[in-house]
Amino acid sequence: MSQRLRAIDDSEKAARRQSILDAAKTLYLADTSALPSVISIARKAGLAKGTVYLYFKTKEEIFLAMLSEDYQTLMIEVIKLLDAPSSPDELVDDLLTTLIRFLDDNPLFMPLASMASPVLEQNVEIKIVGEFKLMLIDKINLIDELFRKAFPQFPEGQCGSLLLHTNALILGLWQMQNWPEKLKPLQQQYPFNTVIPDFKKDLALSLKNLWKGALNSHT
Amino acid sequence: MSQRLRAIDDSEKAARRQSILDAAKTLYLADTSALPSVISIARKAGLAKGTVYLYFKTKEEIFLAMLSEDYQTLMIEVIKLLDAPSSPDELVDDLLTTLIRFLDDNPLFMPLASMASPVLEQNVEIKIVGEFKLMLIDKINLIDELFRKAFPQFPEGQCGSLLLHTNALILGLWQMQNWPEKLKPLQQQYPFNTVIPDFKKDLALSLKNLWKGALNSHT
Amino acid sequence: MSQRLRAIDDSEKAARRQSILDAAKTLYLADTSALPSVISIARKAGLAKGTVYLYFKTKEEIFLAMLSEDYQTLMIEVIKLLDAPSSPDELVDDLLTTLIRFLDDNPLFMPLASMASPVLEQNVEIKIVGEFKLMLIDKINLIDELFRKAFPQFPEGQCGSLLLHTNALILGLWQMQNWPEKLKPLQQQYPFNTVIPDFKKDLALSLKNLWKGALNSHT
Amino acid sequence: MSQRLRAIDDSEKAARRQSILDAAKTLYLADTSALPSVISIARKAGLAKGTVYLYFKTKEEIFLAMLSEDYQTLMIEVIKLLDAPSSPDELVDDLLTTLIRFLDDNPLFMPLASMASPVLEQNVEIKIVGEFKLMLIDKINLIDELFRKAFPQFPEGQCGSLLLHTNALILGLWQMQNWPEKLKPLQQQYPFNTVIPDFKKDLALSLKNLWKGALNSHT
DNA sequence: CATGAATGAGATTTCATTCAT
DNA sequence: TATGAATGAAATCTCATTCAT
């Protein structure tokens, strides 16, 4: 009945894989309260359910791939910062700006990153999870190297460690302030402002403390 | 097989509710890769499936209650610290010790806390989620008050804010170092030590920075 | 906590039983698409769920009792007709009038009678079902006797037999024209009028045929 | 165990649907006191529970389909009668014979027809119920037409109307004589014979009255 | 490769009925 | 007697995943 388009060569396969990722992203963006179902992703991508499983072994693998892409995008942004480095202080400011812009441009990054450990990594083949972790580590090591080229006075690993802590802070802060949509009324009703982190403000504050504290000790 | 008691008054009901929580905890402890099924929880508790649903509306509500208990336990520990306060510096050390011991004693706290935002809160009645949030806020405010009684030189909200950031750091750091069991071999094989946070060590470092930095500015 | 009113003597028990029947009737009247739940009946009657089971062994027993009451009411009406008999012909007209009025006054009779065989009798203790059947038979026999006192020319059993057929016709016709509420639009849209029985009209026609045919053969 | 075939095209799907109906029929035949459970039907058909729900939205839909089939079988029999019509009088006799044979060959027809209005139609999507009703009406209209071709002296709708009344009579009479199996002893013990309809005998009598009365008025 | 039918585990929900108190 | 907690069967529904075609 239907003419089955077949992805024969690798580039076609990659394209099909990407179309699945795009469909998944669109759907997840529309409702981040839960990962969209495979059938909805397949339909959005104009494919059959089974076809999705030719490209990803589990549903979570799709979203881990999506997170992986986002992380790589972010890392590239950070690497760009180190292309034209100025002073460590300015770098911190630039980093923060870059980060905030990235989060605004990639609204799925935080939801995905939150699910990574409790959901995604639990349902993805160990090999794939490993590759994801290694990719992150590679990039972090690369950034650390570039950083030391620009600022040789800092020891190996310092920048990488700061990146990890930065990531941890973002993750934790975001999850704490990510109240379910339906709880928003409550949020305004009570004087929570003192106790609920204001994500961007707190992030700015914390990161500056974190980075400047660490970097200044070597200046 | 089971005792088949009837929970008539409120204390008996609370006991039965607790027995469900205990059963769920035992099962989850045995395998943190996914929340145990409701039927397995019921069987473990010696109850019928229907009975579990008399006490909790959804499976996630069970685990949010469990997390709530853990948070309350932690808060009580922290409050105890403020009963006999010494100097701010010593307090930070004590806090860290307390925290580490708590995490060791309550191995489900971190997995549960990680799931709170992406999983638990998404599938629990908004009212219950609200109560959970309010409970946390109450405790944080209480601790903030006690803190200022002990150290009046610090402004209102400072301690609460530090607690939030502490929580964020714990959450983020834990999730980053929480590699799936099956990935552990990989973790040793590569020189990850430089880039994977060593949870306790990094936590110690970060918290000291965080708290001492903040507290010293008022001494 | 609550003061339990206890029905000690038989009249109190009968009253409580009746209050359950009343509650059930009210609820079923509000929605005849399904028998109301026991919990709703209990609440309506101001009783606990378990108490209902002290008076009726199953839910269906409640509704069989209700149907039994209705049948008895109907029989009494018919008996009244025979108190002041005129001619067989007039009797048929009176019977029809009485029947129509009864159905209007007792809107649950038809739904209940429809459920009797496929639902109620399947879920009521055989003893109770037997009593119900015997009650009906007794009344029919009584009516048959009274009829022959008034019109001796008719053989024993003729009137009883006619009553049974009357009942069968009512049952069958009613079920065929009892379209679900939500199907009513469809009913008007198509030219069903020729093929869907118009309950009262068809009933009148059929009954007159049935009775007059039978009775005239003996005049 | 099972063949695990895939129903790809429509005829295969119809076959699978039929296999579910067959399984349901077998089980219901073994115990007409209640509709068999979906899981038992699935197992009998060698299918998974979920598969049954691919073909029928509710359990009652299965049995309404079964009833629909039975009605269609019956209608076809009746249509056959009109292929080689003789006199109206003979037709009535043939109709009765056909009807009795049909009821003997399809022992589930009456139980199902009894449940149609109070149970089945209440729990089947309104659209499906409508289709069922329309099917019946179509067939009745068709028979009415054929009838008038054979016997032009009768007005339009007369035959259809008689069919409806016939159906009503069957329905009502059957329900009245359908005593629960366990009540049979009681049935013999008492002199019920005068008051309990003898289904086939009474049906014969009534139908002859009904049809001959109506048809003779036009001869 | 692509498809979508089939699977089956599991979450809820409902609710009649039982039974300890 | 009266209560309502507990039971457990069954209906639905959802959906990730498998696998015959």
Side-chain angles (χ1 to χ4, degrees), chain D residues 6 12-13 15-16 25 48 50 59 70 77 84 104 106 110 138 140 142 154 168 177-178 197 205 209:
Chain D
R6 301 280 174 104
E12 286 170 317
K13 280 191 195 171
R16 174 127 307 177
K25 190 173 264 184
K59 184 173 75 163
D70 277 2
E77 299 281 315
D104 284 342
N106 300 274
M110 288 315 314
D138 268 0
I140 289 174
L142 172 61
F154 295 101
Q177 64 83 49
N178 175 240
L205 207 71
N209 272 337

Side-chain angles (χ1 to χ4, degrees), chain A residues 113-175:
Chain A
S114 293
M115 300 198 100
S117 164
V119 176
L120 303 185
E121 295 177 3
Q122 307 295 337
N123 267 300
V124 170
E125 222 187 338
I126 209 64
K127 201 174 130 297
I128 307 279
V129 178
E131 286 166 11
F132 169 68
K133 299 272 193 190
L134 287 176
M135 179 279 290
L136 282 182
I137 283 162
D138 269 0
K139 292 278 193 263
I140 288 174
N141 283 336
L142 172 61
I143 292 174
D144 194 67
E145 261 176 61
L146 293 173
F147 179 80
R148 274 180 306 119
K149 257 183 212 148
F151 309 104
Q153 69 268 38
F154 294 101
E156 184 184 345
Q158 165 120 51
C159 176
S161 170
L162 279 171
L163 286 175
L164 288 177
H165 284 234
T166 301
N167 197 36
L169 255 177
I170 300 173
L171 261 182
L173 279 176
W174 186 84
Q175 285 172 50

Side-chain angles (χ1 to χ4, degrees), chain C residues 5 9 11-12 15 31 37 46 61 66 75 89 123 126 135 137 146 148 153-154 160 182 190-191 195 204 210 219:
Chain C
L5 290 176
D9 64 35
S11 80
E12 282 172 321
D31 175 16
S37 69
E61 199 179 306
M66 199 181 293
M75 299 302 200
D89 259 26
N123 268 300
I126 209 65
M135 179 279 290
I137 283 161
L146 292 174
R148 275 180 305 119
Q153 68 270 35
F154 294 101
K182 284 176 294 184
Y190 285 77
V195 280
L210 181 66
T219 340

Side-chain angles (χ1 to χ4, degrees), chain B residues 125-152:
Chain B
E125 222 187 334
I126 208 64
K127 203 175 131 293
I128 307 278
V129 178
E131 285 167 10
F132 169 69
K133 300 272 194 191
L134 287 177
M135 179 278 290
L136 282 182
I137 283 161
D138 268 359
K139 292 277 193 270
I140 289 174
N141 282 338
L142 172 62
I143 292 173
D144 193 68
E145 260 176 62
L146 293 174
F147 179 80
R148 275 181 305 119
K149 254 180 215 150
F151 308 105

Side-chain angles (χ1 to χ4, degrees), chain C residues 5-7 13 16 50-51:
Chain C
L5 290 176
R6 283 172 182 238
K13 281 191 202 173
R16 181 144 296 186
T51 308

Side-chain angles (χ1 to χ4, degrees), chain B residues 39-57:
Chain B
I39 184 68
S40 70
I41 294 171
R43 274 201 278 256
K44 188 65 151 190
L47 298 170
K49 184 165 45 100
T51 310
V52 172
Y53 280 97
L54 289 179
Y55 288 87
F56 298 94
K57 283 226 186 57

